[in-house]
Amino acid sequence: MEIKITITSAEDVAQAQKVFAALTGEVEQVAVEAPKPAKPKATAKPKTTSKKQDKPLPTIEEVQERVDELDAKGLKKVIVNMFRDYFKGRLSELKPSQYPEVLERLSLIEKIAEDDAAFEEKEKAVDEAPTKNVTKAELEAKFKELLDDHRAKLKELLTKFEAQKLSNLDASQYAAFYEELEAI
């Protein structure tokens, strides 16, 4: 009977001999091989780098400069939240390998802020659109002008504004009602 075992340490040799002796009652042949030197584990192949990663990593000074630019635009609170919530620390605590991601996120923050500002400007322009101040006399004159040719439409319009007659119309509705009259 031949049993072949690869032994990796001197302690394993003594233990193996005891086991064989106990199993067989006698040991015919014990081949002890010197442990083969362990092959070094293959190191992970470097990932294929994209063109973005071919560039040298940004320095902490470059990242700080970008943070300062956005801070000057009033985005400090958003930037602080980004570092706290996403990176779980401050810029000084990050590894240089994280700097490109920080810069990418800062660019996104800036773009979102610009989009928000554009939206708010548009909303503000709509809200501040000049509304014509219409007097009751102007409203009555326009109403009378249309009364003969558009009696049914004028009744519908009064119903739309929840008024039985022109005198029941609330003064805050004059401008909107006048615009509707002009559309007839």
Side-chain angles (χ1 to χ4, degrees):
M1 161 164 57
E2 183 176 321
I3 299 174
K4 193 171 186 180
I5 297 179
T6 304
I7 306 289
T8 57
S9 70
E11 294 170 358
D12 290 344
V13 172
Q15 184 65 30
Q17 286 175 339
K18 290 178 186 175
V19 171
F20 285 126
L23 287 174
T24 60
E26 61 180 88
V27 178
E28 290 181 18
Q29 176 183 14
V30 176
V32 178
E33 296 178 12
K36 294 179 183 175
K39 292 182 183 177
K41 291 185 178 180
T43 57
K45 292 181 182 178
K47 294 180 181 178
T48 307
T49 57
S50 66
K51 290 183 180 183
K52 282 184 179 179
Q53 292 178 345
D54 290 343
K55 297 177 184 177
L57 291 176
T59 64
I60 193 168
E61 290 80 14
E62 292 169 330
V63 177
Q64 185 63 52
E65 183 178 316
R66 186 73 172 117
V67 167
D68 292 342
E69 286 174 19
L70 296 181
D71 184 21
K73 292 182 178 182
L75 299 172
K76 182 176 185 165
K77 186 175 182 178
V78 179
I79 294 169
V80 168
N81 289 340
M82 175 198 68
F83 280 111
R84 184 191 67 226
D85 297 340
Y86 188 77
F87 292 105
K88 309 289 187 225
R90 297 179 175 169
L91 176 59
S92 60
E93 298 167 348
L94 299 181
K95 298 175 188 170
S97 62
Q98 293 176 296
Y99 296 165
E101 187 176 1
V102 171
L103 290 176
E104 186 176 323
R105 288 187 175 277
L106 290 172
S107 293
L108 288 173
I109 288 171
E110 181 178 37
K111 180 163 179 23
I112 290 169
E114 288 171 356
D115 291 348
D116 286 350
F119 178 77
E120 287 174 8
E121 273 185 39
K122 189 175 179 181
E123 288 293 311
K124 186 177 178 183
V126 168
D127 291 342
E128 294 177 355
T131 56
K132 183 178 179 181
N133 286 334
V134 178
T135 64
K136 187 173 185 176
E138 291 172 321
L139 190 63
E140 289 172 344
K142 185 70 172 175
F143 192 85
K144 286 179 185 177
E145 178 185 315
L146 298 170
L147 189 58
D148 291 336
D149 297 332
H150 303 285
R151 187 174 298 272
K153 288 182 182 178
L154 292 174
K155 283 185 180 182
E156 288 176 22
L157 190 57
L158 283 169
T159 304
K160 179 179 175 182
F161 280 82
E162 300 176 354
Q164 295 290 328
K165 52 188 178 177
L166 191 59
S167 59
N168 293 351
L169 193 64
D170 187 62
S172 63
Q173 296 176 314
Y174 286 179
F177 193 85
Y178 192 84
E179 285 180 25
E180 294 277 347
L181 289 175
E182 288 183 325
I184 295 177

